[in-house]
Amino acid sequence: MSQTYQIFTDSSCDLPQERADAYELHVVPLTVQMNGKSYRNELDGREIAFSDFYAALRAGTPASTSAVNPEEFRTEMEPTLQAGVDILYIGFSSGLSTTYQSACIAAAELREKYPKRTILTVDSLCASLGQGLLVHHAVQKKNAGASIEEVAQYLEDNKLHLCHWFTVEDLMFLKRGGRVSAATALLGTALQIKPVMHVDNDGHLINVSKARGRKASISALVDRMEKTGIDIASQTVFISHGDCQADAEYAAELMRTRLGVKDILINYVGPVIGSHSGPGTLAIFFLGSER
């Protein structure tokens, strides 16, 4: 399909591969390290299957992650520019990774080399399928005929309405990442207290409240959707999970029965984000009046 601009994103969007293919996205992979090996976080899990990754985490295998560097972005972007196609990059939150900064460095260099091409970068301030949902809306705008500048402006105007609400099963992963204190993690684990968290306007993870038990925490996420969602029954809603499909289905059923949501996509939290959130993470994403 001929096009005047290509939407780029990175693998922290956690979209299913088939959805990314249908959207004609160019997806740049981040990297996860485990057992002395590096694996690209491809959307289809071709280098490390998502179920295998989470099984290793549960077995106590540590994981670390790497952002995309400027040279990798240059390598990924240049063929598109050489083909005479402009680029709109929608990146992983700058509050959680240096990936977006790397894209900006590469874009600045490539603008000098290809002065006739337009290269726009948008810091999504989103993560996982929150980023994926923002990309989804960008694709809908593009397919409706919006220009690259119009889509970029839409993203800037609406990204702080992309709500992220999530909970985790194992507080120890958040402790390792400095998101909760050791005392909070130990006490919460002992009392089965689950955090209810979100991504704020700066793209950072913030602990908002607590719930006693897993189902109560999932219900609390849907409560947040009910409180701030805009015309929620007619929205496309995304759910991502850290190898807990049944919990994701439970959340989806709550959305259907309580709020009348019809269009729901469920997919894994990929290995890069999952390294920090751990198995059992459950997150919901929708458009709301505020984050």
Side-chain angles (χ1 to χ4, degrees):
M1 176 181 175
S2 63
Q3 54 184 337
T4 59
Y5 66 98
Q6 169 83 51
I7 295 179
F8 274 59
T9 189
D10 54 70
S11 60
S12 293
C13 70
D14 286 346
L15 286 164
Q17 184 68 58
E18 59 271 19
R19 183 70 67 108
D21 291 342
Y23 288 169
E24 299 183 309
L25 300 174
H26 189 117
V27 182
V28 183
L30 281 78
T31 304
V32 62
Q33 293 82 34
M34 183 175 267
N35 285 323
K37 297 181 181 179
S38 290
Y39 304 92
R40 291 187 301 177
N41 181 179
E42 302 281 3
L43 296 184
D44 59 4
R46 74 189 74 161
E47 295 203 358
I48 182 167
F50 300 145
S51 56
D52 293 344
F53 167 76
Y54 281 106
L57 285 187
R58 287 188 175 102
T61 305
S64 59
T65 60
S66 298
V68 185
N69 64 46
E71 180 57 37
E72 289 169 323
F73 271 116
R74 283 192 292 269
T75 300
E76 295 276 356
M77 289 177 167
E78 192 156 20
T80 299
L81 301 171
Q82 288 173 339
V85 177
D86 297 334
I87 290 174
L88 171 59
Y89 168 68
I90 306 167
F92 184 22
S93 172
S94 63
L96 297 170
S97 172
T98 59
T99 294
Y100 177 72
Q101 181 182 11
S102 293
C104 290
I105 293 169
E109 294 175 0
L110 290 168
R111 286 187 195 104
E112 292 187 6
K113 189 172 181 179
Y114 299 91
K116 294 183 179 180
R117 297 270 58 85
T118 298
I119 310 169
L120 301 181
T121 63
V122 175
D123 181 357
S124 72
L125 298 175
C126 296
S128 190
L129 277 178
Q131 179 182 341
L133 185 53
L134 197 67
V135 170
H136 162 84
H137 288 296
V139 171
Q140 306 313 304
K141 294 292 181 185
K142 178 175 185 283
N143 290 345
S147 68
I148 186 171
E149 292 85 3
E150 289 169 337
V151 175
Q153 189 59 55
Y154 167 83
L155 296 173
E156 294 293 352
D157 291 344
N158 288 277
K159 64 188 183 183
L160 295 185
H161 294 285
L162 203 303
C163 303
H164 304 53
W165 287 96
F166 69 101
T167 189
V168 300
E169 183 66 27
D170 187 345
L171 285 162
M172 293 304 172
F173 284 89
L174 292 179
K175 179 187 78 68
R176 288 172 203 146
R179 304 298 176 185
V180 300
S181 68
T184 296
L186 289 169
L187 183 62
T189 299
L191 298 178
Q192 282 295 295
I193 293 172
K194 307 301 181 186
V196 176
M197 308 181 75
H198 82 138
V199 174
D200 70 6
N201 287 350
D202 296 319
H204 299 129
L205 305 184
I206 302 296
N207 194 355
V208 175
S209 62
K210 303 178 181 68
R212 180 68 66 86
R214 180 66 163 177
K215 286 199 170 181
S217 68
I218 296 172
S219 182
L221 302 182
V222 180
D223 291 345
R224 294 287 181 171
M225 174 182 280
E226 184 173 23
K227 181 178 179 181
T228 64
I230 300 171
D231 192 17
I232 200 70
S234 65
Q235 280 198 40
T236 296
V237 173
F238 285 1
I239 302 174
S240 63
H241 66 90
D243 201 35
C244 54
Q245 178 77 25
D247 288 339
E249 296 287 357
Y250 175 70
E253 187 58 26
L254 287 179
M255 293 175 189
R256 293 187 188 101
T257 56
R258 286 179 50 183
L259 306 178
V261 180
K262 299 176 182 65
D263 187 9
I264 302 174
L265 179 143
I266 298 174
N267 200 38
Y268 272 93
V269 176
V272 164
I273 295 173
S275 295
H276 304 284
S277 58
T281 298
L282 185 74
I284 68 172
F285 310 95
F286 58 94
L287 289 173
S289 56
E290 60 182 3
R291 281 197 171 186

